[in-house]
Amino acid sequence: MAEDGEEKLLATVQHIVQTLGRTDTMTEDILKVFSNYDGRLSLDKLYATRAAAAAAAGGAGERSMPASPPLPAAPSASAGMPPVTSLERTVRTLDRQISQFVTMDRLIWADSADADAFLEAVDDLIGTVQELDAAGTNRGLLDRADELLSRCMARLEDEFRALIERPDDAAPQVPGGFGSDESEGEDYDADDGFGDEPIPIAKPVSDFDVVIDALPPGSVSDVHQIARRMVDAGFGRECAEAYAAARRGFIDESVARLGIRSLTADEVHSSPWEELEFDIARWIPAFKMVFRILIPSERRLCDRVFDGLAPYGDLAFVAAVRTQALQLISSGDAVAAASRAPERLFRVIDMYEAVRDLLPDLDPVFSDPYSAALRAEVSAVCNILGSSIKGIFMELENLIRRDPARVAVPGGGIHPITRYVMNYLRAACGSRQTLEEVMEGDLAAVGAAAIAIDPDRPTSSLAVHIAWIMDVLHKNLEAKSKIYRYPPLAAIFLMNNGKYIIHKVTDSELGVLLGDEWMKQMMSRVRRWSMEYQRGAWAKVMSVLQTGGPGIGSIPAKAMLQKMQMFNGYLEEICAAQSDWVIADEQLRADVKAAISDSVMPAYTGLIARLRSSPEAAQDLFIKYTPEDVQAHIQHLFEGAAK
């Protein structure tokens, strides 16, 4: 009875298939439905019944009544068509399963069960394609499977980008989870190009020892699973491009929030220095933010998404960060190639140090062959900034040489070029180690280790360069001293400027760089200029005070009286001429006055004593200036600045 019932069931199935199965695909689908519905209706048993019915149909002409309608027989080799293989059935089944997912109007990953089922179907399809490709016997079926695989990859790519750009869309809507209202600790921005859906955005920070987790851990795992399937299917490059496109918006907006603008060479040349200085002041922290936080964080995320999928992770990483990285580097190049005006030195040093200090940290970030070019670009901009620093120093020399000797500084005071150069060099030496690196040209070692600097090395390239600048300044000051028509005032001018230089060198790094020997030479010059002043300004006074010898009568009394009158005139002339002269340094001023007193006062008191001891001169002697008066006149010299 059981066998009769099964035969009747099979006959019924034959009839249904014969009636409804107008095409091979429809027949295959109906057989699949019945096999899933009842265990007695396995595909093997249905196909065996189908074959038996086809054989029985061959002798139907001898019967008056045909048997019940048979199942449509699978095309057999004897009929001129190949039988339906298991791979064909697999492809048809996968087509039905996958079509359900790729036509969804919502994210597949919004439902974890759907995501798992879709990935399982994709895995089966990838395996089937590989099996068909290896067999190489059914090109038509392989093309059909490849077309289905392409549809899968297109949908996976859409899901992949959505999970990266809008991670909350696929997050489970549970209290406290991603996508719920309780996840208020994240930073989001609503304008991500996809409507009102939020995307996490990096914010400027002052602490660079942080990492941005742009995606929730669950989203990272999901996109990794997608990436693995796309790579397995031969769509690794497309996956890398999709990742870069999805992440680029995040990176672009993060950099935009740092408030910097891209600088071209033309903009740098045409911008006022105040405006350019403001741009540089923003560029430095932005460069640190991008290369210390944003790009390393992107590398970390990329390594997790493409874990074990090299080289596509490297391709995705460099494609995502290249634009913003090159934009920042290009701005640095533009500033480095711009005007070499000396006032730009300190900002360029700041830029150089910012780039130099992060170079060692970039080695693990740009370690792959694809991003090595970016590492080379950063190193190149460091070298270019270093060359710019050297160029600015050369321009400082040219500025000193070109400073014209037109107008004399009143009273022989300190020239503005002296103040500018010395204060400039003092400030520059605040970055002495950086300048040593640049001047030594040892940029190849920058980023690997700091250059060892000998603090007592006056023969270093920087020391030699500064000594050369000092020599150029000295020659410029000597040329300016010739403007003064009165040589003693020229000597005062050189004294003032020389003493100012010594003062600025003594209490700064300049003293270390120039060394003791240079300092001795400079002090010797100041003493020589002091002597030139005394000889030029007081020579007539000292000459008139000479009495020819200690003995009384060696010079006539009348002649000594004339000398006294001449002295009075010379003293008044000197005090009048030098009333506006100035010696700025208090100690130098006291030393010069003391030297004058040491020369004049003994001779003057001696002349007075001889006149008083002479009977002929004593009766006509009139002392207009007592020694105390002369001393007071000397003490009032060189107060021009105070007055």
Side-chain angles (χ1 to χ4, degrees):
M1 292 293 292
E3 292 179 359
D4 290 343
E6 185 172 330
E7 289 177 359
K8 290 180 180 180
L9 178 60
L10 291 172
T12 302
V13 171
Q14 287 185 46
H15 178 71
I16 294 173
V17 172
Q18 181 70 26
T19 303
L20 301 178
R22 295 186 178 87
T23 65
D24 288 346
T25 300
M26 293 178 66
T27 299
E28 185 73 18
D29 290 344
I30 294 169
L31 293 174
K32 183 69 174 178
V33 169
F34 279 115
S35 67
N36 291 334
Y37 176 75
D38 193 315
R40 295 173 295 174
L41 302 176
S42 67
L43 284 175
D44 292 340
K45 187 177 293 185
L46 288 171
Y47 279 115
T49 304
R50 180 182 174 189
E62 301 175 0
R63 302 177 184 176
S64 60
M65 290 292 293
S68 60
L71 283 169
S76 63
S78 62
M81 297 185 66
V84 176
T85 65
S86 61
L87 286 176
E88 288 180 293
R89 292 195 296 272
T90 300
V91 171
R92 291 173 182 174
T93 302
L94 290 173
D95 193 350
R96 288 193 303 273
Q97 293 176 351
I98 289 171
S99 296
Q100 298 174 9
F101 294 111
V102 298
T103 57
M104 282 185 177
D105 58 0
R106 60 168 176 83
L107 283 178
I108 299 172
W109 261 257
D111 187 315
S112 59
D114 285 345
D116 292 341
F118 184 45
L119 288 179
E120 183 178 355
V122 171
D123 289 337
D124 291 342
L125 179 59
I126 293 172
T128 301
V129 170
Q130 292 172 347
E131 187 176 348
L132 285 168
D133 189 48
T137 57
N138 194 337
R139 186 65 195 177
L141 186 60
L142 177 60
D143 290 343
R144 179 181 173 187
D146 279 336
E147 188 276 333
L148 180 59
L149 185 61
S150 296
R151 291 168 57 200
C152 284
M153 294 300 110
R155 182 57 191 249
L156 277 179
E157 182 176 326
D158 291 342
E159 298 283 327
F160 184 79
R161 292 188 60 164
L163 286 171
I164 294 174
E165 294 171 341
R166 296 167 289 167
D168 287 357
D169 280 9
Q173 298 300 311
V174 295
F178 290 99
S180 73
D181 293 336
E182 297 183 23
S183 56
E184 298 177 355
E186 303 290 331
D187 287 335
Y188 290 96
D189 184 85
D191 185 14
D192 63 353
F194 295 96
D196 296 328
E197 302 300 335
I199 180 171
I201 297 296
K203 300 292 181 64
V205 296
S206 57
D207 178 13
F208 297 105
D209 190 21
V210 297
V211 175
I212 298 173
D213 282 323
L215 295 180
S219 295
V220 173
S221 176
D222 289 339
V223 294
H224 170 69
Q225 294 299 325
I226 295 175
R228 187 167 66 81
R229 268 65 177 196
M230 293 186 72
V231 171
D232 288 346
F235 287 75
R237 187 170 292 275
E238 290 81 356
C239 184
E241 292 172 355
Y243 175 92
R247 293 297 299 157
R248 215 173 277 130
F250 170 84
I251 296 171
D252 291 348
E253 188 163 355
S254 298
V255 174
R257 290 191 171 204
L258 299 178
I260 60 171
R261 65 186 179 106
S262 179
L263 297 174
T264 65
D266 291 340
E267 288 174 334
V268 171
H269 280 292
S270 61
S271 297
W273 169 241
E274 294 75 13
E275 181 179 330
L276 183 59
E277 189 175 24
F278 176 79
D279 288 329
I280 294 173
R282 284 199 166 185
W283 182 91
I284 292 170
F287 191 87
K288 293 178 180 178
M289 170 70 182
V290 170
F291 282 91
R292 286 192 182 277
I293 297 179
L294 197 59
I295 288 179
S297 296
E298 198 62 34
R299 166 59 85 179
R300 178 173 177 267
L301 176 61
C302 208
D303 288 346
R304 294 167 64 196
V305 170
F306 291 92
D307 183 27
L309 302 177
Y312 301 107
D314 299 331
L315 287 171
F317 166 71
V318 73
V321 304
R322 181 194 290 114
T323 300
Q324 289 299 336
L326 290 179
Q327 182 175 314
L328 282 167
I329 292 170
S330 177
S331 296
D333 284 337
V335 172
S339 168
R340 300 294 172 85
E343 67 268 14
R344 301 191 175 196
L345 174 69
F346 305 101
R347 281 301 184 186
V348 176
I349 287 177
D350 290 341
M351 294 176 70
Y352 172 86
E353 291 176 341
V355 179
R356 175 203 63 191
D357 292 345
L358 65 80
L359 277 174
D361 297 331
L362 295 184
D363 290 337
V365 178
F366 297 130
S367 58
D368 62 275
Y370 302 98
S371 60
L374 277 179
R375 169 62 169 78
E377 290 283 351
V378 178
S379 181
V381 77
C382 186
N383 290 338
I384 293 171
L385 288 167
S387 297
S388 179
I389 292 171
K390 288 190 284 188
I392 290 173
F393 257 82
M394 293 179 63
E395 184 59 28
L396 177 63
E397 296 177 19
N398 295 331
L399 181 147
I400 298 170
R401 288 192 181 95
R402 292 193 301 264
D403 192 61
R406 294 176 181 172
V407 180
V409 177
I414 301 168
H415 198 280
I417 191 68
T418 306
R419 295 183 186 275
Y420 176 82
V421 171
M422 296 312 301
N423 287 318
Y424 186 94
L425 292 177
R426 277 172 60 96
C429 284
S431 303
R432 182 165 71 94
Q433 180 166 337
T434 295
L435 292 174
E436 288 279 8
E437 292 174 3
V438 171
M439 297 302 175
E440 293 291 343
D442 197 6
L443 295 179
V446 175
I451 296 175
I453 303 300
D454 182 358
D456 300 317
R457 185 177 51 152
T459 57
S460 70
S461 294
L462 177 61
V464 171
H465 204 94
I466 289 181
W468 176 251
I469 292 176
M470 300 304 297
D471 187 62
V472 172
L473 177 61
H474 170 66
K475 291 177 180 178
N476 182 271
L477 291 172
E478 284 194 326
K480 286 178 168 59
S481 71
K482 292 179 172 54
I483 301 175
Y484 297 97
R485 290 177 294 179
Y486 191 33
L489 183 54
I492 289 290
F493 171 77
L494 291 172
M495 256 196 300
N496 275 317
N497 286 271
K499 187 64 177 180
Y500 183 83
I501 291 171
I502 290 173
H503 172 69
K504 290 295 181 179
V505 169
T506 300
D507 62 347
S508 71
E509 293 282 346
L510 289 171
V512 176
L513 290 167
L514 293 171
D516 294 338
E517 189 61 32
W518 183 92
M519 183 67 75
K520 291 177 182 178
Q521 292 176 3
M522 195 66 202
M523 293 174 70
S524 177
R525 286 176 179 173
V526 172
R527 288 193 296 269
R528 174 167 57 83
W529 291 325
S530 177
M531 293 299 297
E532 289 176 359
Y533 158 76
Q534 292 177 51
R535 285 195 298 267
W538 296 89
K540 293 190 298 183
V541 172
M542 297 307 299
S543 176
V544 81
L545 290 178
Q546 297 298 322
T547 58
I552 297 176
S554 59
I555 185 172
K558 186 176 181 179
M560 286 192 292
L561 289 173
Q562 289 177 344
K563 283 179 176 289
M564 177 63 74
Q565 292 174 354
M566 292 173 65
F567 171 81
N568 293 338
Y570 288 155
L571 180 64
E572 291 167 358
E573 178 185 333
I574 289 173
C575 290
Q578 299 185 21
S579 61
D580 292 328
W581 293 13
V582 59
I583 296 180
D585 183 79
E586 183 177 351
Q587 184 59 51
L588 179 61
R589 185 167 64 247
D591 291 343
V592 172
K593 290 178 181 179
I596 296 170
S597 296
D598 291 344
S599 298
V600 173
M601 294 310 298
Y604 183 61
T605 55
L607 177 61
I608 292 176
R610 293 193 62 180
L611 286 170
R612 284 176 176 170
S613 65
S614 170
E616 296 177 3
Q619 59 184 351
D620 297 322
L621 180 62
F622 172 71
I623 300 176
K624 185 175 182 179
Y625 297 107
T626 66
E628 290 76 15
D629 294 333
V630 174
Q631 184 67 40
H633 276 77
I634 293 173
Q635 292 303 316
H636 282 94
L637 294 173
F638 317 124
E639 302 288 346
K643 292 177 182 178

